[in-house]
Amino acid sequence: MQTMTVIQGGEAEKKRARRLHAILLFNLVVNHIFLFLMALTLVKLSNIPLILMAALSLALLGYILISAKRSLSSEPSWFVCCHWQFAAKRARLFLFLFFALGILSLALYYGGHAMGMKTVSTLALTGGFGVLPFMVAVLGLIIIEFDAEHQAKIGIVPAGAVAYYPPPGEAGKP
């Protein structure tokens, strides 16, 4: 059983701890579900909405990673820094999935057309092996990030976060 570390910090500290979780949730929910569906409906007209969606996602993920990196040297609160490092770890995972499954989807889509497959079978192959696993991963990350944001709201640091980024006084302990 994992133990939680409860922090008795102020509301301002809890609010700062939630910030990167909220940005990552915005990217996952609004950008990769709602805007993705909207972009798919417009894909016959133009690819620009899909490109804008990807650019917004990369900008938000970059902001999360840069903010978490800066917090290591400038954030006085371990609680805030720990939550930001945990959000950055999930953002890196999402970025990896975004690139890996995006490249796989593009390869399947254009490869299927290059091999002479019909459009329906190419779309089924692309959706089944590229888009579907990505959307399942997005839904899983949404659940995990909602929990992490709630834990930041109530002042809890999960045991996994403590192991990943130990408190300053416990850094040398086994």
Side-chain angles (χ1 to χ4, degrees), residues 9 29 35 41 45-46 53 60-61 72 76 79 104-105 107 109 116 134 141 144 149 155 170:
V29 174
L35 292 181
T41 61
L45 300 173
S46 172
M53 185 206 68
L60 290 172
L61 291 171
L72 289 173
F79 175 71
L104 177 65
S105 295
Y109 181 75
F134 181 73
L141 280 170
I144 291 169
E149 185 186 25
E170 299 179 14

Side-chain angles (χ1 to χ4, degrees), residues 156-173:
I156 292 176
V157 178
V162 174
Y164 177 68
Y165 189 70
E170 299 179 14
K173 292 183 181 178

Side-chain angles (χ1 to χ4, degrees), residues 7-24:
I7 303 297
Q8 297 300 327
E11 288 303 314
E13 190 176 45
K14 291 176 185 177
K15 191 173 185 177
R16 280 195 337 266
R18 292 173 50 199
R19 194 169 112 218
L20 288 187
H21 292 300
I23 293 170
L24 187 55

Side-chain angles (χ1 to χ4, degrees), residues 9-64:
E11 288 303 314
E13 190 176 45
K14 291 176 185 177
K15 191 173 185 177
R16 280 195 337 266
R18 292 173 50 199
R19 194 169 112 218
L20 288 187
H21 292 300
I23 293 170
L24 187 55
L25 277 170
F26 175 83
N27 187 28
L28 294 171
V29 174
V30 174
N31 194 24
H32 285 281
I33 293 179
F34 296 124
L35 292 181
F36 176 71
L37 291 175
M38 185 182 72
L40 279 183
T41 61
L42 300 173
V43 79
K44 295 236 181 209
L45 300 173
S46 172
N47 285 333
I48 292 175
L50 281 173
I51 293 168
L52 289 176
M53 185 206 68
L56 176 62
S57 180
L58 292 174
L60 290 172
L61 291 171
Y63 175 76
I64 291 169

Side-chain angles (χ1 to χ4, degrees), residues 50-142:
L50 281 173
I51 293 168
L52 289 176
M53 185 206 68
L56 176 62
S57 180
L58 292 174
L60 290 172
L61 291 171
Y63 175 76
I64 291 169
L65 295 174
I66 290 169
S67 295
K69 185 81 167 172
R70 284 185 186 158
S71 75
L72 289 173
S73 61
S74 64
E75 178 59 50
S77 170
W78 169 80
F79 175 71
V80 174
C81 195
C82 185
H83 269 280
W84 283 24
Q85 297 312 309
F86 220 45
K89 183 178 180 182
R90 291 182 180 139
R92 280 189 293 275
L93 171 66
F94 181 73
L95 192 60
F96 171 75
L97 290 171
F98 187 67
F99 279 122
L101 292 175
I103 291 169
L104 177 65
S105 295
L106 288 173
L108 290 170
Y109 181 75
Y110 289 111
H113 284 298
M115 292 176 17
M117 294 175 65
K118 296 198 184 256
T119 303
V120 172
S121 55
T122 301
L123 290 175
L125 188 66
T126 303
F129 288 109
V131 177
L132 183 64
F134 181 73
M135 294 310 283
V136 169
V138 166
L139 292 176
L141 280 170
I142 287 171

